[in-house]
Amino acid sequence: MWIRPPHEYYSFANIAGNYDGVDIEYSKAIDEGFLRLKLAYGSSTAKLKADNDDFFIDFDNLTTFSVTYSLDAWTARFSLSKSDFGGYKLTSLDEFLALLDAVPQSIWPQAQTISNKFNTKGHSIEYAAFGLTYDHNNWLIQSEVGISESDWIIAPSVLNTYISAGYRVNNAIFYMSFSAAKNRHDVIQVNEPVFSPGIPDQISEPIQQLAFATQAAIKVPYVHQHSINIGVKWQLSERLALKAQLDRFDIKPEGAGLWSLSNPADVDKGHKVHMLSLNASMVF
């Protein structure tokens, strides 16, 4: 019914939505309900954006298990997935890692640890989700909650959820949704490099600038926001539907990870975004 699905939830759920591999599905009627089990395994490549550059990241050994059970007006869904981060393609990240790796450990011991956290090698992500839908007479109520655990700093661990309620009036459905997403762990704090007396400025200043830029880069992927939207969908005919939706996003300081900031220095500021969307869907 939405013009766009809840930003805080489906931004994570759809990163590796398409994959190359195999899946097995089992369906069975149980009492008056219907059960469906699905197991999938494969790999995927996601195309993201980073500083206006295309960012390609591979998901290897992508394994997903899901259970769906429907009974009368109720549908419950539960899924688990795990994937290893594979190779990536982003020149700016390669350059950033090379700078961190070049810093002497005696000056900034944390540089190598941070480099390992930004690199995809050896990192994985786990995700669990539960959803519940009620669809009866005039009411359509839907909610999902997801939780991820990741040791790659660019895809941090997040708790996200939404609830949406719609009410049908003749050929229209009026709806309202609330959704939220928040990092499950605090922002990593960068320790200042320690310089021995007599180290020339030509060495100390670039390392200090790198430490400052690293702290800013760590904050960029972090997510802390919520949103509310209201909308209506008119089914004018079997082939034509019109939709209107108004969204308000409240983005907290150090929480704009789902957005592309025109000025990276604004990562420490809060932001509010309002969006009005009109949509027409036609079936031929």
Side-chain angles (χ1 to χ4, degrees):
M1 61 181 169
W2 312 297
I3 285 184
R4 74 188 60 81
H7 183 234
E8 289 82 353
Y9 188 85
Y10 285 100
S11 293
F12 299 97
N14 289 342
I15 288 179
N18 300 317
Y19 66 93
D20 297 321
V22 297
D23 64 69
I24 301 173
E25 184 173 314
Y26 174 78
S27 302
K28 181 180 177 59
I30 298 179
D31 296 329
E32 298 181 358
F34 189 78
L35 176 69
R36 185 176 66 180
L37 307 177
K38 185 175 182 179
L39 179 65
Y41 177 84
S43 61
S44 177
T45 299
K47 180 181 178 181
L48 310 175
K49 281 288 185 180
D51 295 331
N52 296 320
D53 291 332
D54 290 336
F55 182 11
F56 295 92
I57 173 70
D58 294 332
F59 292 84
D60 299 330
N61 302 315
L62 176 59
T63 306
T64 301
F65 174 72
S66 63
V67 181
T68 303
Y69 184 71
S70 300
L71 177 64
D72 297 329
W74 295 92
T75 299
R77 300 170 300 279
F78 176 74
S79 63
L80 291 171
S81 65
K82 180 178 180 180
S83 177
D84 299 324
F85 293 109
Y88 67 88
K89 183 179 179 181
L90 183 63
T91 301
S92 59
L93 180 56
D94 289 331
E95 295 172 349
F96 178 58
L97 295 180
L99 290 173
L100 289 172
D101 294 338
V103 177
Q105 293 294 292
S106 58
I107 295 178
W108 189 20
Q110 194 184 21
Q112 188 60 58
T113 300
I114 294 175
S115 175
N116 293 337
K117 287 184 175 295
F118 271 98
N119 202 328
T120 58
K121 185 177 181 180
H123 295 319
S124 62
I125 185 170
E126 299 173 352
Y127 185 75
F130 175 76
L132 192 63
T133 299
Y134 176 79
D135 189 350
H136 183 64
N137 292 334
N138 293 335
W139 285 102
L140 174 58
I141 302 173
Q142 182 173 329
S143 181
E144 293 184 87
V145 59
I147 185 170
S148 66
E149 180 64 35
S150 168
D151 48 9
W152 185 39
I153 200 168
I154 298 179
S157 305
V158 173
L159 175 65
N160 54 334
T161 186
Y162 75 88
I163 182 169
S164 178
Y167 188 79
R168 299 181 179 93
V169 179
N170 298 324
N171 294 330
I173 179 169
F174 296 85
Y175 59 88
M176 175 181 290
S177 303
F178 173 83
S179 53
K182 188 179 186 302
N183 267 72
R184 298 175 49 237
H185 308 304
D186 294 334
V187 176
I188 296 174
Q189 297 300 314
V190 172
N191 300 327
E192 293 186 4
V194 178
F195 301 98
S196 301
I199 290 183
D201 293 342
Q202 295 89 334
I203 295 177
S204 62
E205 289 183 359
I207 295 178
Q208 288 176 328
Q209 293 173 357
L210 178 61
F212 179 80
T214 299
Q215 183 67 84
I218 288 174
K219 295 177 181 178
V220 168
Y222 274 70
V223 176
H224 186 188
Q225 71 172 64
H226 65 265
S227 67
I228 187 169
N229 66 55
I230 56 175
V232 59
K233 173 185 176 183
W234 293 279
Q235 192 70 45
L236 297 185
S237 67
E238 293 182 358
R239 295 185 176 184
L240 178 62
L242 300 180
K243 298 179 184 179
Q245 183 171 311
L246 176 63
D247 299 83
R248 172 190 166 95
F249 299 92
D250 188 352
I251 307 163
K252 303 300 182 182
E254 299 180 0
L258 298 180
W259 300 81
S260 179
L261 296 176
S262 57
N263 182 4
D266 290 339
V267 69
D268 292 317
K269 300 178 181 178
H271 305 270
K272 289 181 172 57
V273 179
H274 297 85
M275 185 181 302
L276 175 62
S277 305
L278 303 176
N279 174 275
S281 301
M282 302 184 69
V283 178
F284 295 96

